């Protein structure tokens, strides 16, 4: 069966006055299931609250738009209440309980990418809600809830039955929600728009990599991530993950062209992408991108905490390492052609500005 790598948009799963939850479906994007990858997006309106929940998968959250507050509780730890804003990345290991709240006029939009190897459904996150009409309280009998929390039957019924919302609710403006606490953010959040750049090529592009050094919780999550921004008409060098990792890419902004080449030199994807689309590059496949005039930016996870990439153009490319005679024989070209090929792209850049 032919591999379908076409970029997809998410489908709405549920929502209401407080906001909506969207997810990419394995049925429409088979690589999610094949690669055990989950992808979803949360959009909260003003006063929208995503009820406390935990997931069957480890994730990385990336704030695409807006600002708000998040509550994070690691197993056997105290709650961390943190301020979040556009560009923030948050590593969410197994067992973490989270809630998300928007108190601003602008819609708060958060992307979630993660692995589903240990999940109930391959290629799909399953969330377990602590409250709401589908919360865990609703599944237990009044007797069990009462005995577990030492409550009388009247209180149990109020506790279990009062919240009729499902997943996302809109809270009353008069309700004072927790304020972010100083110091809680440390070690939990890295803002990719403000962090030191790992790569910075003038008129080419910039990269911030999330790894165990700048966000230690990435080690517990089990995969790395990065934010890449390339300028108008610039190119991202053809490259591949040389440690058998999948690349899951969400287009954050701008637009551009993408080509992916797989086994036997076959081009398996040639497409135009724009903000909101998601696609997956299989293990060892080579991918390259060229931005349109408005530039192109994307957020990716790579299914290893400290990914290693091989680029096929630039000073550090494998072509530069191979012997001239090997290249002459491999390409079946004259020495002057091999020399011309080797003499190009002498910098260690992985982004190339448009031709003059």
């Amino acid at each position: 069966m032919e591999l379908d790598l076409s970029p997809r948009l998410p489908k709405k799963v549920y929502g209401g006055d407080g906001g909506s939850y969207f997810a990419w479906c394995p049925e429409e994007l088979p690589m999610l299931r094949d690669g055990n990858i989950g992808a979803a997006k949360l959009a909260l309106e003003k006063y929208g609250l995503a009820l406390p929940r935990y997931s069957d998968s480890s994730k990385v959250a990336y704030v695409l738009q807006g600002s708000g507050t998040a509550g994070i509780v690691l197993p056997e730890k105290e709650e961390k209440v943190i301020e979040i804003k556009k560009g923030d990345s948050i590593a969410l290991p197994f067992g973490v309980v989270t809630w998300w709240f928007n108190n601003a006029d602008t819609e708060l939009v958060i992307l979630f990418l993660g692995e589903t190897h240990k999940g109930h459904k391959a290629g799909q996150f399953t969330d377990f809600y602590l409250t709401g009409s589908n919360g865990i309280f609703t599944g237990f009998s009044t007797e069990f809830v009462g005995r577990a929390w030492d409550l009388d039957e009247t209180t149990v019924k109020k506790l279990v039955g009062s919240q009729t919302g499902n997943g996302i609710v809109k809270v009353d403006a008069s309700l004072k929600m927790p304020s972010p606490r100083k110091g809680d953010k440390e070690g939990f959040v890295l803002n990719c728009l403000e962090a030191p750049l790992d790569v910075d090529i003038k008129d080419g592009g910039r990269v911030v990599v999330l790894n165990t050094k700048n966000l230690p919780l990435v080690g517990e999550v089990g995969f790395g991530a990065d934010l890449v921004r390339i300028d108008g008409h610039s190119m991202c060098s053809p490259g591949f993950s040389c440690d058998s990792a999948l690349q899951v890419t969400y287009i954050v902004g701008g637009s551009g062209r993408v080509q992916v080449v797989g086994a036997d030199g076959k081009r398996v994807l040639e497409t135009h992408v724009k903000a909101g689309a998601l696609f997956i590059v299989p293990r060892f496949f080579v991918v390259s991108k060229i931005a349109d005039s408005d530039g192109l930016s994307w957020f990716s996870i790579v299914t290893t905490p400290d990914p290693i990439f091989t680029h096929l153009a630039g000073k550090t490319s494998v072509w530069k390492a191979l012997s001239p005679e090997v290249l002459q024989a491999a390409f079946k070209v004259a020495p002057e052609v091999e020399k011309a090929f080797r003499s190009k792209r002498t910098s260690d850049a992985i982004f190339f500005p448009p031709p003059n």
Side-chain angles (χ1 to χ4, degrees):
M1 186 170 65
E2 193 166 327
L3 197 61
D4 183 9
L5 303 182
S6 303
R8 303 291 185 187
L9 298 174
K11 293 276 185 74
K12 183 176 177 179
V13 180
Y14 63 84
D17 292 341
S20 299
Y21 181 84
F22 303 84
W24 281 265
C25 306
E27 292 75 20
E28 294 188 359
L29 191 56
M31 279 298 298
L32 289 173
R33 185 189 302 106
D34 298 342
N36 264 305
I37 300 294
K41 194 157 62 170
L42 175 67
L44 295 178
E45 303 294 339
K46 188 172 185 179
Y47 302 128
L49 170 67
L51 295 173
R53 70 197 66 196
Y54 61 93
S55 178
D56 65 351
S57 305
S58 56
K59 309 172 186 176
V60 168
Y62 180 74
V63 181
L64 296 167
Q65 175 184 304
S67 61
T69 308
I72 300 175
V73 183
L74 293 173
E76 307 298 325
K77 302 289 185 181
E78 293 184 355
E79 180 187 53
K80 301 289 185 179
V81 181
I82 61 176
E83 178 185 12
I84 57 173
K85 63 180 181 179
K86 181 179 179 179
D88 279 348
S89 293
I90 307 144
L92 303 173
F94 281 110
V96 65
V97 172
T98 63
W99 55 262
W100 311 84
F101 178 65
N102 181 16
N103 59 353
D105 293 329
T106 303
E107 187 179 45
L108 173 62
V109 183
I110 305 167
L111 173 72
F112 297 95
L113 300 176
E115 288 190 316
T116 62
H117 285 96
K118 298 180 180 179
H120 286 263
K121 300 176 183 177
Q124 188 173 332
F125 298 137
T126 300
D127 288 335
F128 295 83
Y129 302 91
L130 301 190
T131 65
S133 62
N134 58 344
I136 58 172
F137 274 152
T138 62
F140 285 106
S141 67
T142 302
E143 177 194 1
F144 270 64
V145 175
R147 291 190 62 179
W149 283 274
D150 192 21
L151 298 172
D152 61 72
E153 184 176 349
T154 301
T155 303
V156 168
K157 289 182 178 180
K158 288 180 180 179
L159 195 65
V160 175
S162 297
Q163 179 55 269
T164 58
N166 174 6
I168 300 171
V169 299
K170 188 170 186 176
V171 302
D172 191 278
S174 63
L175 179 64
K176 184 174 175 57
M177 294 293 287
S179 298
R181 294 193 289 259
K182 188 176 181 180
D184 279 7
K185 202 169 184 177
E186 186 176 349
F188 280 86
V189 180
L190 179 74
N191 190 281
C192 294
L193 301 178
E194 300 174 354
L197 298 171
D198 293 280
V199 178
D200 186 8
I201 307 300
K202 184 180 179 181
D203 299 323
R206 292 149 297 284
V207 182
V208 170
V209 179
L210 276 71
N211 52 37
T212 53
K213 295 177 182 177
N214 56 19
L215 196 60
L217 276 176
V218 165
E220 294 186 38
V221 169
F223 50 86
D226 59 23
L227 176 69
V228 182
R229 293 167 285 166
I230 61 176
D231 298 325
H233 301 299
S234 291
M235 179 184 195
C236 181
S237 165
F240 65 93
S241 171
C242 56
D243 50 6
S244 74
L246 290 165
Q247 299 178 59
V248 186
T249 299
Y250 175 86
I251 305 300
V252 174
S255 59
R257 292 177 288 146
V258 178
Q259 290 187 356
V260 177
V261 176
D264 300 319
K266 183 180 180 182
R267 189 186 308 154
V268 293
L269 179 66
E270 181 169 13
T271 190
H272 185 269
V273 294
K274 59 183 180 179
L278 181 138
F279 65 97
I280 301 173
V281 179
R283 294 175 175 88
F284 302 111
F285 281 37
V286 181
V287 59
S288 184
K289 308 174 186 73
I290 297 178
D292 290 338
S293 59
D294 54 347
L296 181 66
S297 60
W298 61 90
F299 185 82
S300 298
I301 65 166
V302 183
T303 54
T304 180
D306 293 294
I308 303 172
F309 288 96
T310 292
H311 290 277
L312 300 179
K315 183 180 179 180
T316 59
S317 78
V318 66
W319 301 119
K320 303 292 185 181
L322 290 171
S323 304
E325 297 80 6
V326 172
L327 289 183
Q328 290 173 37
F331 281 119
K332 197 177 180 180
V333 295
E336 58 269 21
V337 176
E338 187 279 331
K339 186 176 181 181
F341 173 71
R342 184 182 294 274
S343 66
K344 301 293 186 180
R345 300 297 187 202
T346 55
S347 75
D348 57 1
I350 60 171
F351 303 122
F352 309 131
N356 294 326

